[in-house]
Coordinates of all heavy atoms in Angstrom, one line a residue:
E1 N -22.0 4.0 -15.0 CA -21.4 2.7 -14.5 C -20.5 2.0 -15.6 O -19.5 1.4 -15.3 CB -22.5 1.7 -14.1 CG -22.9 1.9 -12.6 CD -21.8 1.7 -11.7 OE1 -21.5 0.6 -11.3 OE2 -21.1 2.7 -11.3
E2 N -20.9 2.1 -16.8 CA -20.1 1.5 -17.9 C -18.7 2.1 -18.0 O -17.7 1.4 -18.0 CB -20.8 1.6 -19.2 CG -20.1 0.9 -20.4 CD -20.8 0.9 -21.7 OE1 -22.0 1.3 -21.7 OE2 -20.2 0.5 -22.7
Q3 N -18.7 3.5 -17.9 CA -17.4 4.2 -17.9 C -16.6 3.9 -16.7 O -15.4 3.8 -16.7 CB -17.7 5.7 -18.1 CG -16.4 6.5 -18.2 CD -15.5 6.0 -19.4 OE1 -16.0 5.9 -20.5 NE2 -14.2 5.8 -19.1
T4 N -17.3 3.8 -15.5 CA -16.6 3.6 -14.3 C -15.9 2.2 -14.3 O -14.8 2.1 -13.9 CB -17.6 3.6 -13.1 OG1 -18.2 4.9 -13.0 CG2 -16.9 3.3 -11.8
M5 N -16.5 1.2 -14.9 CA -15.9 -0.1 -15.1 C -14.7 0.0 -16.1 O -13.7 -0.7 -15.9 CB -16.9 -1.1 -15.5 CG -18.0 -1.4 -14.5 SD -17.4 -1.8 -12.9 CE -16.8 -3.4 -13.2
K6 N -14.9 0.8 -17.1 CA -13.7 1.0 -18.0 C -12.6 1.7 -17.3 O -11.4 1.3 -17.5 CB -14.1 1.8 -19.2 CG -15.1 1.1 -20.2 CD -15.5 2.0 -21.4 CE -16.4 1.3 -22.3 NZ -16.8 2.2 -23.5
D7 N -12.9 2.6 -16.5 CA -11.8 3.3 -15.6 C -11.1 2.3 -14.7 O -9.9 2.3 -14.5 CB -12.4 4.4 -14.8 CG -12.9 5.6 -15.6 OD1 -12.5 5.7 -16.8 OD2 -13.7 6.4 -15.1
L8 N -11.9 1.3 -14.2 CA -11.4 0.3 -13.3 C -10.4 -0.6 -14.1 O -9.3 -0.9 -13.6 CB -12.5 -0.6 -12.8 CG -12.2 -1.7 -11.8 CD1 -11.4 -1.2 -10.7 CD2 -13.4 -2.5 -11.4
V9 N -10.7 -0.9 -15.3 CA -9.8 -1.7 -16.1 C -8.5 -0.9 -16.4 O -7.4 -1.4 -16.2 CB -10.4 -2.2 -17.4 CG1 -9.4 -2.9 -18.3 CG2 -11.6 -3.2 -17.1
T10 N -8.7 0.3 -16.8 CA -7.5 1.2 -17.1 C -6.6 1.3 -16.0 O -5.3 1.1 -16.1 CB -8.0 2.6 -17.6 OG1 -8.8 2.5 -18.7 CG2 -6.8 3.5 -17.8
L11 N -7.1 1.6 -14.8 CA -6.2 1.8 -13.6 C -5.6 0.5 -13.1 O -4.4 0.5 -12.7 CB -7.0 2.5 -12.5 CG -7.3 4.0 -12.8 CD1 -8.2 4.5 -11.7 CD2 -6.1 4.8 -12.9
T12 N -6.4 -0.6 -13.2 CA -5.9 -1.9 -12.7 C -4.7 -2.3 -13.5 O -3.7 -2.9 -13.0 CB -7.0 -2.9 -12.8 OG1 -8.1 -2.6 -11.9 CG2 -6.5 -4.3 -12.3
E13 N -4.7 -2.0 -14.8 CA -3.6 -2.5 -15.7 C -2.4 -1.6 -15.6 O -1.4 -1.8 -16.4 CB -4.1 -2.6 -17.1 CG -5.2 -3.8 -17.2 CD -5.6 -4.0 -18.6 OE1 -5.5 -3.1 -19.5 OE2 -6.1 -5.2 -18.9
I14 N -2.4 -0.6 -14.7 CA -1.2 0.2 -14.4 C -0.7 -0.3 -13.0 O -1.2 0.1 -12.0 CB -1.5 1.7 -14.4 CG1 -2.1 2.1 -15.7 CG2 -0.2 2.5 -14.1 CD1 -2.6 3.6 -15.7
L15 N 0.3 -1.1 -13.0 CA 0.8 -1.7 -11.7 C 1.4 -0.6 -10.9 O 2.1 0.3 -11.3 CB 1.9 -2.7 -12.0 CG 2.4 -3.5 -10.8 CD1 1.3 -4.2 -10.1 CD2 3.5 -4.5 -11.3
A16 N 1.0 -0.6 -9.6 CA 1.5 0.4 -8.6 C 1.9 -0.2 -7.3 O 1.2 -0.2 -6.3 CB 0.3 1.4 -8.4
P17 N 3.1 -0.8 -7.3 CA 3.7 -1.3 -6.0 C 3.9 -0.2 -5.1 O 4.1 1.0 -5.5 CB 5.0 -2.0 -6.4 CG 4.9 -2.1 -7.9 CD 4.1 -1.0 -8.4
P18 N 4.0 -0.4 -3.8 CA 4.3 0.6 -2.8 C 5.7 1.3 -3.2 O 6.6 0.6 -3.6 CB 4.4 -0.1 -1.5 CG 3.5 -1.3 -1.6 CD 3.6 -1.7 -3.0
F19 N 5.7 2.6 -3.1 CA 6.9 3.4 -3.5 C 7.1 3.6 -5.0 O 7.9 4.3 -5.5 CB 8.2 2.8 -2.9 CG 8.2 2.7 -1.4 CD1 7.9 1.5 -0.8 CD2 8.4 3.8 -0.6 CE1 7.9 1.3 0.6 CE2 8.4 3.7 0.8 CZ 8.1 2.5 1.4
K20 N 6.2 3.0 -5.8 CA 6.2 3.1 -7.2 C 4.9 3.3 -7.8 O 4.4 2.7 -8.8 CB 6.9 1.9 -7.9 CG 8.4 1.7 -7.4 CD 9.1 0.6 -8.1 CE 10.5 0.5 -7.6 NZ 11.3 -0.6 -8.3
E21 N 4.2 4.3 -7.2 CA 2.8 4.6 -7.6 C 2.7 5.7 -8.7 O 1.6 6.1 -9.1 CB 1.9 5.0 -6.4 CG 1.9 4.0 -5.3 CD 2.9 4.3 -4.2 OE1 3.9 5.0 -4.4 OE2 2.7 3.8 -3.0
E22 N 3.8 6.3 -9.1 CA 3.8 7.5 -9.9 C 3.0 7.3 -11.2 O 2.2 8.2 -11.5 CB 5.2 7.9 -10.2 CG 5.3 9.2 -11.0 CD 6.7 9.6 -11.3 OE1 7.7 8.9 -10.9 OE2 6.9 10.7 -11.9
K23 N 3.2 6.2 -11.9 CA 2.5 6.1 -13.2 C 1.0 6.0 -13.0 O 0.2 6.7 -13.8 CB 3.0 4.8 -13.9 CG 2.5 4.7 -15.4 CD 3.1 3.5 -16.1 CE 2.6 3.4 -17.5 NZ 3.2 2.2 -18.2
R24 N 0.6 5.2 -12.1 CA -0.9 5.2 -11.8 C -1.4 6.5 -11.3 O -2.5 6.9 -11.6 CB -1.2 4.1 -10.8 CG -2.7 4.0 -10.5 CD -3.1 2.9 -9.5 NE -3.1 1.6 -10.1 CZ -3.7 0.5 -9.5 NH1 -4.2 0.7 -8.3 NH2 -3.7 -0.6 -10.1
G25 N -0.6 7.2 -10.5 CA -1.0 8.5 -10.0 C -1.2 9.5 -11.1 O -2.2 10.3 -11.0
K26 N -0.4 9.4 -12.1 CA -0.6 10.4 -13.2 C -1.9 10.1 -14.0 O -2.6 11.0 -14.4 CB 0.6 10.3 -14.2 CG 1.9 10.9 -13.6 CD 3.0 10.8 -14.6 CE 4.3 11.4 -14.1 NZ 5.4 11.3 -15.0
A27 N -2.2 8.8 -14.2 CA -3.4 8.4 -14.8 C -4.7 8.9 -14.0 O -5.6 9.4 -14.5 CB -3.5 6.9 -15.1
F28 N -4.6 8.6 -12.7 CA -5.6 9.0 -11.8 C -5.8 10.6 -11.8 O -6.9 11.1 -11.8 CB -5.4 8.5 -10.4 CG -6.4 8.9 -9.4 CD1 -7.7 8.4 -9.5 CD2 -6.1 9.8 -8.3 CE1 -8.7 8.8 -8.5 CE2 -7.1 10.1 -7.4 CZ -8.3 9.6 -7.5
A29 N -4.7 11.3 -11.8 CA -4.7 12.7 -11.9 C -5.5 13.2 -13.1 O -6.3 14.2 -13.1 CB -3.3 13.3 -11.8
Q30 N -5.2 12.6 -14.3 CA -5.9 13.0 -15.5 C -7.4 12.7 -15.4 O -8.2 13.5 -15.9 CB -5.3 12.2 -16.7 CG -3.9 12.7 -17.0 CD -3.8 14.2 -17.4 OE1 -4.6 14.7 -18.1 NE2 -2.9 14.9 -16.7
M31 N -7.8 11.6 -14.7 CA -9.2 11.4 -14.5 C -9.9 12.4 -13.6 O -11.0 12.8 -13.9 CB -9.4 10.0 -13.9 CG -9.1 8.8 -14.9 SD -9.3 7.2 -14.1 CE -8.9 6.1 -15.5
L32 N -9.1 12.8 -12.6 CA -9.7 13.9 -11.7 C -9.9 15.2 -12.5 O -10.9 15.9 -12.3 CB -8.7 14.1 -10.5 CG -8.8 13.1 -9.4 CD1 -7.7 13.4 -8.4 CD2 -10.1 13.1 -8.7
I33 N -8.9 15.5 -13.3 CA -9.0 16.8 -14.1 C -10.2 16.7 -15.1 O -11.0 17.6 -15.2 CB -7.7 17.0 -14.9 CG1 -6.6 17.3 -13.9 CG2 -7.9 18.1 -15.9 CD1 -5.2 17.4 -14.6
A34 N -10.3 15.5 -15.7 CA -11.5 15.4 -16.7 C -12.8 15.4 -15.9 O -13.8 15.8 -16.5 CB -11.3 14.0 -17.4
A35 N -12.8 14.9 -14.7 CA -14.1 14.9 -13.9 C -14.4 16.3 -13.4 O -15.6 16.5 -13.0 CB -13.9 13.9 -12.8
G36 N -13.4 17.2 -13.3 CA -13.8 18.6 -13.0 C -13.4 19.0 -11.6 O -14.1 19.8 -10.9
V37 N -12.1 18.7 -11.1 CA -11.6 19.3 -9.9 C -11.3 20.8 -10.2 O -11.0 21.2 -11.3 CB -10.4 18.6 -9.3 CG1 -10.8 17.2 -8.7 CG2 -9.3 18.4 -10.4
D38 N -11.3 21.6 -9.1 CA -11.0 23.0 -9.3 C -9.5 23.2 -9.4 O -9.0 24.1 -10.0 CB -11.5 23.8 -8.1 CG -13.0 23.8 -8.1 OD1 -13.6 24.1 -9.2 OD2 -13.7 23.6 -7.1
S39 N -8.7 22.4 -8.7 CA -7.2 22.4 -8.8 C -6.7 21.0 -8.4 O -7.4 20.2 -7.8 CB -6.6 23.5 -7.9 OG -6.9 23.3 -6.5
L40 N -5.5 20.8 -8.8 CA -4.9 19.5 -8.6 C -3.4 19.6 -8.4 O -2.7 20.4 -9.1 CB -5.2 18.5 -9.7 CG -4.7 17.1 -9.6 CD1 -5.8 16.1 -10.0 CD2 -3.4 16.9 -10.4
W41 N -2.8 18.8 -7.5 CA -1.4 18.7 -7.3 C -1.0 17.4 -6.8 O -1.8 16.6 -6.2 CB -0.9 19.8 -6.4 CG -1.3 19.7 -4.9 CD1 -0.6 19.2 -3.9 CD2 -2.6 20.2 -4.4 NE1 -1.3 19.3 -2.7 CE2 -2.5 19.9 -3.0 CE3 -3.7 20.8 -4.9 CZ2 -3.6 20.2 -2.1 CZ3 -4.8 21.1 -4.0 CH2 -4.7 20.8 -2.7

């Protein structure tokens, strides 16, 4: 839970308006990789 809340702060502070989600998407992708997905695109 402590790390989950840290992740919440990290992602919240990456602004993602509609059509401009790329930067937040990259951060979320890195979190998925670190969490252990088998593949990602």
Side-chain angles (χ1 to χ4, degrees):
E1 275 300 275
E2 184 177 351
Q3 182 59 50
T4 300
M5 297 305 290
K6 289 180 180 179
D7 291 344
L8 179 56
V9 173
T10 297
L11 290 174
T12 299
E13 292 185 337
I14 304 173
L15 183 59
F19 302 99
K20 296 183 178 181
E21 303 96 337
E22 184 179 1
K23 187 176 180 181
R24 179 181 281 196
K26 287 180 178 179
F28 179 66
Q30 290 303 311
M31 289 181 179
L32 282 176
I33 292 170
V37 286
D38 292 315
S39 62
L40 182 137
W41 68 97

